[in-house]
Structure formats: C-alpha cells, structure tokens
Amino acid sequence: MAKGAQTREAIVDTAVELAFRVGLGGLTIGELARAQQMSKSGLFAHFRSKEALQLAALARARETFVDLVVRPALTAPRGLPRIRELFERWLDCGRGGVPGGCLFVKAATEFDGQPGALRDQLAQDHQDLFDTIGQVCRSGVSVHQVRPDVDADQFAHDLYGVMLVFYLTHRLLADPAAETHARASFETLLDAVRTEAA
Amino acid sequence: MAKGAQTREAIVDTAVELAFRVGLGGLTIGELARAQQMSKSGLFAHFRSKEALQLAALARARETFVDLVVRPALTAPRGLPRIRELFERWLDCGRGGVPGGCLFVKAATEFDGQPGALRDQLAQDHQDLFDTIGQVCRSGVSVHQVRPDVDADQFAHDLYGVMLVFYLTHRLLADPAAETHARASFETLLDAVRTEAA
DNA sequence: ACAGCAACCGTACGATCGTGCGATTCTGTG
DNA sequence: CACAGAATCGCACGATCGTACGGTTGCTGT
C-alpha cells in the first residue's frame, strides 16, 4: 500500500523536473517512463489520463513552491521582513532552477489560450498567489511599516512583474545582471510603499 | 513565382495564429495543413523541416510586432511621448489578442530550457527589444524629459516586467483590472525617470 | 502556344503518441 | 506458507507525428 504511493511520488517528481524543461504540454508518458525506468503502462496505471498526470505535476509544483517560498515567508515578522523574505526565497527558487514556482510561469503562458482543467487550475493558483502577496502587504500595514493608503493588489501585481522579468532574463537570456536588476526593482517598489518609520 | 511566396505567407500567418494558441512547440504540420486546407506534404514542401516553419512563424511575429508597436513608436517625438506611444501600442497588441508580441512571451517561456535555434533566436529578439526600449529611454534624456542619471537598462527591464504581468493577468486570469494595473505601474515608472520640466 | 518548372498532392515510412487489457510479479496479512 | 490484492509488465490498438519521394497539375516566361 505504501509502495504504490511511493512510486507515484517519484513519478510526479520526475514529471515536474521534465515539465520544467519541456513544459507541461510537452510532457510525454513514454519519455517519463524511460526516465523513471519503468514501463509506459505501469506508469500510466497510476494516473488514468495524461491530464491527471499533468494536474498531479502541477499540484506538486505548487506544494514545493508553498513549502520553499510562501510558508517560510509567512513565519517571518510582519512588515518589511516578511516581504523581503518572500522576495528572497522566490528569487532563490528561480535562480537555482528549482522546478517549483518556475513551472507555474511556464505553464501559465503555455495554457493561457487553451480552456480546460489545466488552465482553470493555473488561474486559481495564480490568483491565490496574488492574494497571498496582497495579504503580506496588508499585514505590513498593521505593524505600521507599510503606508495604509497603498493598493495591496497593485503591489502584488508589481512584485509579480518583477519576478516574471527576472525569470525571463535569467533563464532565457542568462543575463548575469538579472538578479541585480530584480533587486533594484524590488527596492524601488519597497520604497514606494514603506512608511518613514520603517 | 509569386504564387509560392503568396501561399507561404498565408501558411505562416496561420501558423502564427495557431502557435498563439497552442505554442510554437504545440504547432503541428497536420493541424496547420487542415487549417490551411491543403495537404500535409504540399505544406511541408515550403519549409523543409518543422524547425524552419517555427522559425518562420517567429520571424513573422517579430515583423508584426515591429510594424505595429516599435516602428510607430519611433516616429513619435522623442521623450515621454515616444515612451508613451511604445507602451500604448504594446498594450493594444496584447489586449486585442493580436498574435505578435504575445507569441514572443509564450515562446520565450516555452523554449527557455531547450537549447537550439529557436531558443537562440528568441534570446536575440528579446535582447533586441530590451535594447530598443533602452534606446527610447536614452533618447528622452537628449530632449531633457528623462533624467540623465537613469539606468536605461533598468528601465527597459522594469517596463518589460509590467508588460509580462499584464499579459498574464489579461490572458490567463482575464482580470478586467489588468490594464488599469498596468497603466498605474507604467505611470509610476515614468514618474521615477522624468525630469521636473517634463 | 508550348516547354519547363514551380507548386501541390497521394501515399507511405518508421516512430511515438495516449490509452486499454490480460497476464504476471510483488507484497503485506492471516 | 498460502492467499488476496496491489503493482507492474507486455502487447496491442488506432491515431498522429515529421519526413520523404514520385507523380500530377497549373502557372509563367519566351
């Protein structure tokens, strides 16, 4: 009983790694089976459709991202430290090529034009992330480190933009200045929302 | 002689539209032939490999983007008007679902992990766009509307981030506030670089 | 108008796709 | 140790993938 779940986990892990390179759509059961050193049918039996496999990979990526980025950030002190923690860990996630948050970005642009369960889940996840960022921003207001008149949604939007362009310049262009630029953008963003006291 | 080039153009146009939905990697010769109402082999003869077809589609997307966004912006007066024109036309391009600049973003995240000619071309195109934005920014300095101490590369980076998150919120989330947020981000960006005189 | 060539089609190929099914091996329990 | 059920495999299926080749059509330049 434990065995099945165990291999399933291993498969999903490999699927995330593979999808991180070729996209969720480019994911192939045959190649996945080869990478996992088992038969196509044996692998396929764990999921009962390709879409289920893709959804499982997406779920795993989400959990990884939450574990590595969101949850640790939420344990940091409210206000600027928490925002900083979120940003830094997010940056780490993209820099190290950890297939977590990265897969979201890739999948998001991949499926934004194809209705279906994948797209719906993607949209939900992104909305959740936006909400989380907004929440982190608002919690900064309660400790008087963030100005009470800032638009938290707008802040979430802007921060996400910084991360998106970081991924692009880092992964596609391999621009060594990607991180420097991202940090600069982030500090500017922070300056615009923080109180004088902070 | 004109006939061949004509159908080739039509094919590429359809390819761009199709790739705009399913991605450059999801592009299929069979489906493309069906959409174009001609045989697979007849279509294939125009390109001699799938990669060539993808590169052709990418080139067409680039031309469209340059025609609709870059070139018109460069005819606007130097300084803030030119920056504004670039932004507005870019926004139009994404809002209307015009498969031009949008395809770049999709393809960029799709191929950022797969070495090859596609990836190289994508990187080149994005680098060119970054350079163009930087140039537009610098030309604003010469007419004293942009502060001479601004980092043009950083500005290009930030503007690109605004566009990326706009695409995401507009296309994936179908957020009606996407444009409002993008405009707000843009104005903040502009305020940070403009001189008091402007 | 006719020769020649570009454009296009039909068909075929090996490979791989996602998905089923029956048989086999493994594993945990009484 | 025997047995039940889970886990995995081998094999097959129809479809579609990218690519090739030889024949047919139709346009074009002289």
Side-chain angles (χ1 to χ4, degrees), chain B:
Chain B
M1 191 219 295
K3 182 71 190 306
Q6 188 178 331
T7 46
R8 199 191 134 106
E9 295 242 324
I11 293 172
V12 174
D13 276 339
T14 310
V16 171
E17 275 177 42
L18 224 164
F20 175 56
R21 262 181 287 149
V22 300
L24 266 181
L27 204 57
T28 267
I29 295 180
E31 195 176 348
L32 189 53
R34 222 173 298 126
Q36 198 63 24
Q37 307 213 88
M38 61 186 297
S39 69
K40 255 201 333 175
S41 52
L43 188 147
F44 183 79
H46 284 272
F47 317 86
R48 287 147 47 98
S49 74
K50 188 186 179 181
E51 198 179 39
L53 167 63
Q54 291 170 317
L55 284 169
L58 192 58
R60 164 70 97 260
R62 178 180 52 243
E63 287 159 20
T64 304
F65 183 74
V66 169
D67 286 349
L68 260 56
V69 179
V70 177
R71 200 136 30 212
L74 290 182
T75 68
R78 270 195 285 265
L80 300 194
R82 184 173 296 185
I83 300 178
R84 279 219 143 82
E85 191 73 15
L86 179 70
F87 174 71
E88 287 296 334
R89 288 188 173 265
W90 201 347
L91 216 56
D92 283 347
C93 180
R95 181 178 38 210
V98 175
C102 313
L103 187 52
F104 279 113
V105 177
K106 195 187 277 266
T109 54
E110 202 177 348
F111 287 94
D112 62 5
Q114 308 179 71
L118 258 298
R119 191 200 138 111
D120 293 346
Q121 187 61 54
L122 252 320
Q124 181 65 52
D125 289 344
H126 278 263
Q127 192 57 59
D128 286 350
L129 183 50
F130 273 105
D131 290 347
T132 300
I133 302 175
Q135 198 61 37
V136 167
C137 177
R138 266 182 282 268
S139 76
V141 176
S142 66
V143 292
H144 310 98
Q145 294 190 3
V146 172
R147 299 204 338 262
D149 62 323
V150 298
D151 182 342
D153 291 341
Q154 180 73 43
F155 178 78
H157 179 96
D158 290 342
L159 182 57
Y160 210 110
V162 172
M163 293 314 302
L164 285 177
V165 72
F166 168 70
Y167 280 146
L168 187 112
T169 51
H170 178 62
R171 303 250 320 269
L172 178 68
L173 303 182
D175 186 353
E179 193 174 332
T180 308
H181 280 149
R183 287 209 141 82
S185 305
F186 176 68
E187 293 300 331
T188 304
L189 241 105
L190 227 53
D191 281 343
V193 302
R194 83 164 113 215
T195 59
E196 300 96 7

Side-chain angles (χ1 to χ4, degrees), chain A residues 168-197:
Chain A
L168 187 113
T169 51
H170 177 63
R171 302 253 319 271
L172 178 67
L173 303 183
D175 186 353
E179 193 174 334
T180 307
H181 279 149
R183 286 209 141 82
S185 305
F186 177 69
E187 293 301 331
T188 305
L189 235 91
L190 226 54
D191 282 342
V193 302
R194 83 163 114 216
T195 58
E196 301 97 7

Side-chain angles (χ1 to χ4, degrees), chain A residues 118-128, chain B residues 172-173:
Chain A
L118 258 298
R119 193 200 136 112
D120 294 345
Q121 187 60 55
L122 252 322
Q124 182 65 53
D125 289 344
H126 279 264
Q127 192 57 59
D128 287 350
Chain B
L172 178 68
L173 303 182

Side-chain angles (χ1 to χ4, degrees), chain A residues 26 63 83 88 128 132 142 151 173 191 196:
Chain A
E63 288 159 19
I83 301 178
E88 287 296 335
D128 287 350
T132 300
S142 66
D151 182 342
L173 303 183
D191 282 342
E196 301 97 7

